[in-house]
Amino acid sequence: MNQDELKRAVGQAAADYVVAHAPQGAVLGVGTGSTANCFIDAIAPFKERFRGAVSSSEASTDRLRSHGFAILDLNDVSEIPVYVDGADEVNDRLHMVKGGGGALTREKIVAAVADTFVCIADASKLVPTLGAFPLPVEVIPMACAHVARELAKLGGDPHLRKGFITDNGNLILDVRGLSIDDPVALEAHINQIVGVVCNGLFAARGADLLLLGTPDGVRQLHPKS
Ligand code: 5RP
């Protein structure tokens, strides 16, 4: 199976999970990226079961709408039983690096409201230690140089994502070379830098379940303690 087939397999597995676990009339939380797109396509035939979806990006909103999903404002929603999203890296505690698609802030907000975060990923995304994938940090444009200097003090090598503006009108610094031994502490630390909107470490609120696409089938992994 190639990587696209693995993504389709986990997208389908996530749709099966959501149909089995989310109550009739529930609001669905939907992530962003090529794997999340596979989930959107797989859940589309079941859209009548849901009140609608809260989306984490304009791209996912467009795809959901093209399938006929109602898009809900998060401020009008008090409960999201399940949020499904991909990851750039995930470890065995189900801490993640996310934001390769630049949607990290809205993804983190929707994930914060959700009862259950289901991460969907092909086997290449499971790593022993986070950090080989450059960590995305969303910054307020006027603070970009300041934040870059502060990230360099942490040992990182920040690069501005060229030609990219987030759905929130901000910039992304992709930070290489960070040693992420303590994802929870680093997530909190980076968030304290003035001008940072959000960083792509999803550790304080990690995933509750990982559906991992492998050549032998989709494996279900729970966070190791
Ligand atoms: C977007 C994300 C994505 O979930 C992450 O980049 C994985 O994307 P893909 O499924 O295309 O590999 O965090 O901001």
Side-chain angles (χ1 to χ4, degrees), residues 7 32-36 85-88 98-104 107 125:
K7 287 179 182 186
T32 297
S34 56
T35 318
D85 199 356
D88 298 302
K98 290 184 44 54
L104 59 159
E107 290 172 341
K125 306 285 184 69

Side-chain angles (χ1 to χ4, degrees), residues 12-208:
Q12 184 60 56
D16 295 344
Y17 177 93
V18 168
V19 167
H21 290 86
Q24 189 83 24
V27 174
L28 194 55
V30 179
T32 297
S34 56
T35 318
N37 283 344
C38 292
F39 167 67
I40 294 171
D41 296 345
I43 198 69
F46 303 97
K47 64 172 183 289
E48 305 303 340
R49 296 175 58 103
F50 301 96
R51 188 179 136 210
V54 172
S55 168
S56 60
S57 65
E58 300 300 329
S60 289
T61 294
D62 289 347
R63 199 174 188 98
L64 285 158
R65 282 211 171 108
S66 77
H67 284 299
F69 270 94
I71 300 299
L72 304 172
D73 186 322
L74 184 58
N75 291 307
D76 298 328
V77 169
S78 56
E79 207 179 341
I80 298 176
V82 186
Y83 174 66
V84 178
D85 199 356
D88 298 302
E89 289 183 332
V90 56
N91 67 16
D92 64 5
R93 300 187 70 181
L94 306 196
H95 298 153
M96 293 159 284
V97 167
K98 290 184 44 54
L104 59 159
T105 300
R106 294 189 187 188
E107 290 172 341
K108 205 175 272 198
I109 293 168
V110 185
V113 176
D115 297 330
T116 301
F117 185 145
V118 177
C119 177
I120 51 176
D122 65 85
S124 69
K125 306 285 184 69
L126 183 63
V127 296
T129 308
L130 302 176
F133 189 92
L135 179 68
V137 179
E138 181 165 351
V139 297
I140 300 285
M142 73 171 288
C144 195
H146 165 69
V147 172
R149 285 190 294 270
E150 294 300 309
L151 290 167
K153 283 183 198 164
L154 297 177
D157 179 17
H159 288 258
L160 179 66
R161 197 177 293 185
K162 291 211 170 63
F164 187 87
I165 306 283
T166 71
D167 286 346
N168 312 308
N170 297 315
L171 302 175
I172 298 274
L173 289 168
D174 291 304
V175 190
R176 303 190 178 103
L178 288 172
S179 98
I180 309 184
D181 301 322
D182 187 344
V184 175
L186 187 63
E187 180 181 2
H189 192 107
I190 293 176
N191 281 341
Q192 296 306 315
I193 300 171
V194 173
V196 168
V197 176
C198 178
N199 74 80
L201 276 168
F202 284 55
R205 200 277 184 258
D208 303 295

